[in-house]
Each structure stands twice: as C-alpha cells, then as structure tokens.
Amino acid sequence: SFLESADTYARLFGGMIVLDSISSREDCINAYNYVMRTLRDLTGSKQCHGRKGLYDLFFYRSHACDDIASYACCILRSMGFPITVENTVGHRTLTGMHYFCSLYDAESKDWVTYNAETYDPTMYWDKEETLNIYRNTYAAQPGTPYFLRHKYEHVPDELSNPCMVDVTAHVKLVHSVTLPISGYGNSNLAYLATFNRAMPDALLHTTWGVIDKENGMVTFDNAMPHVLYFPVFYRGTQMEVFGTPFYFDDR
C-alpha cells in the first residue's frame, strides 16, 4: 500500500466514497466496506501468481490482515480521515500477530479499533484477549529496542520494528512492574515473554524495559494483568532467563 501516493488513492476512490454522506465513524467504515465489496462483485475472482499491488484490491482472493488494514488506512487517510494501522504482538490463546485499523473519534476523543472490511461496523475488533498493541508509524521511534539495545545485543523479531509505538494503554489496562536483575553483562534491555508454541524457544516477547544498571533493576511500563510472564534478556544472541515466571491481577 505504501507504493502509491495519497493523491493516487484520492483520485481512484474519492469519487466512490462520498464525504458529504459521512457523519459518523460507522458511516465512514460502511462507505469503505461498500466500495470494496462492490468493486469485487463487479470484477469477481481472479487466479494469478504473485502480488499485483493496488490491483489486488479489485478481486476476491486471499487478503492478509496486514494488507487489508494498510490499504484501508492509506485510502481513508487520503480523504482526510484520522486513521492508523496497529497490530498485536500475539494473543493469549492464539498464535500469530493480527493487524487492524484504529480510527480517531473526535466526539469521544478516543481511538476506535476495528477490522477493516468488516461487514458490520458496530462489531469492533475484540481486544480483550490480545497481548500488547503497537501502532505502526512512518518515523523512527528512539524508545524502541532497535535504538535502545547495546551494539551487539539481539532484539527479538516481534519487537524489532524501529517505527512502532506501544499504545496498549490507550485501550487496555497496563501496570508498571519493576524486577531485580543481575548477570546481564553489556545488555541494555530485558523483556517479558509469554508461552507461544509457534515461537522459537516457545516464548513470545511482548514488551521491554531498560535495565537500570546502577540499581540492578528493570521496569516494564506496559505489563498487563492476568498474563503469565517469563522475564528474559539477551546476552549477545543467547536468551537468558532471570527471576521466576509470574503474573498479577488488576487489583
């Protein structure tokens, strides 16, 4: 979706999504969904090899959630809608990430998360069973592990995006958790990981904290209640466990 300009999206879709008829977030979501369904009803399905970029939108075929969300974001942004793409690192019971859209509601001054192209706009994306939520931006974010790590310190793939922002606190309850840590050597970061059978070592890293080397402590600002955490850090590329697994409730 990033291969085309906002002008291109506005030119192609601006005549189909009529702004004058949109007075609520439901109208916005409905209008976009109606256009996508109608385009595909007209063109049908097409079996072809490889990706066709923007033209993938015009046919019924297997669309991944990252493409669905990013195209909806780019198209609606080109028309002035305040929308962004976010993703979960994982879920409590499901393997894999999920991408979705978040639309700013000026009336409630809040972000409304939903699955792009969902037929019923009142059925917003269920965030209750997810782990941490990250917003994808266009700018480098100095507070990410990509920049905070030691020069030779490994960063887990699921948290290696240098342009992400943790927005879990916008939609879910989070707490700050401080743990003692030792034996970390030159490492700057520690992580809270959860069990996930699809990941290497069966652990999914969900959030990070910067090690306070003067006091031998590490604070995680976006830890969630009711999640079984394994505290870990990386010595070079080797994962090391410190402390014992733990969880906490929201009281």
Side-chain angles (χ1 to χ4, degrees):
S1 61
F2 304 113
L3 298 178
E4 305 291 346
S5 68
D7 288 342
T8 298
Y9 288 121
R11 175 174 54 83
L12 290 174
F13 294 94
M16 295 182 248
I17 301 176
V18 183
L19 301 184
D20 292 342
S21 66
I22 295 174
S23 59
S24 68
R25 63 191 182 214
E26 284 80 10
D27 288 341
C28 171
I29 298 169
N30 260 331
Y32 180 82
N33 293 348
Y34 177 77
V35 167
M36 290 299 107
R37 290 198 302 270
T38 303
L39 282 175
R40 291 169 190 161
D41 285 342
L42 289 172
T43 53
S45 60
K46 183 174 179 63
Q47 299 297 323
C48 56
H49 298 288
R51 306 286 287 276
K52 305 304 177 189
L54 174 63
Y55 299 100
D56 281 332
L57 283 175
F58 293 79
F59 299 98
Y60 283 113
R61 58 182 299 180
S62 177
H63 295 273
C65 62
D66 53 346
D67 273 349
I68 292 172
S70 61
Y71 274 117
C73 176
C74 288
I75 291 170
L76 291 174
R77 270 186 180 178
S78 75
M79 300 172 194
F81 291 99
I83 189 170
T84 187
V85 176
E86 296 173 357
N87 70 272
T88 64
V89 175
H91 299 75
R92 295 174 190 264
T93 57
L94 302 175
T95 60
M97 304 169 70
H98 179 58
Y99 288 79
F100 54 94
C101 287
S102 191
L103 177 66
Y104 184 72
D105 180 27
E107 184 176 341
S108 65
K109 293 181 171 51
D110 199 5
W111 292 89
V112 178
T113 57
Y114 75 98
N115 281 320
E117 298 187 20
T118 296
Y119 278 57
D120 183 355
T122 62
M123 295 177 62
Y124 297 117
W125 170 70
D126 183 5
K127 52 190 173 289
E128 294 304 318
E129 293 303 316
T130 71
L131 299 171
N132 289 70
I133 299 169
Y134 292 92
R135 180 169 297 168
N136 297 274
T137 77
Y138 291 96
Q141 302 296 327
T144 57
Y146 183 90
F147 296 106
L148 295 172
R149 63 178 174 171
H150 182 268
K151 182 179 180 180
Y152 300 108
E153 184 178 357
H154 174 72
V155 173
D157 288 345
E158 56 269 29
L159 295 177
S160 62
N161 181 356
C163 298
M164 67 182 184
V165 178
D166 192 315
V167 295
T168 313
H170 291 189
V171 293
K172 296 171 70 72
L173 182 66
V174 297
H175 291 280
S176 177
V177 173
T178 299
L179 302 175
I181 184 172
S182 61
Y184 47 81
N186 292 324
S187 299
N188 292 337
L189 299 169
Y191 302 89
L192 294 181
T194 63
F195 175 76
N196 187 305
R197 61 183 172 81
M199 301 299 292
D201 301 313
L203 289 179
L204 174 72
H205 305 77
T206 67
T207 189
W208 68 88
V210 178
I211 299 172
D212 177 356
K213 297 183 178 181
E214 182 177 348
N215 297 304
M217 308 291 286
V218 57
T219 298
F220 303 95
D221 292 325
N222 293 290
M224 296 190 300
H226 309 296
V227 177
L228 180 61
Y229 284 123
F230 298 82
V232 301
F233 66 88
Y234 279 85
R235 192 192 309 275
T237 58
Q238 181 64 40
M239 188 180 71
E240 303 281 349
V241 177
F242 70 95
T244 57
F246 71 94
Y247 76 96
F248 58 93
D249 60 27
D250 53 8
R251 291 177 295 177

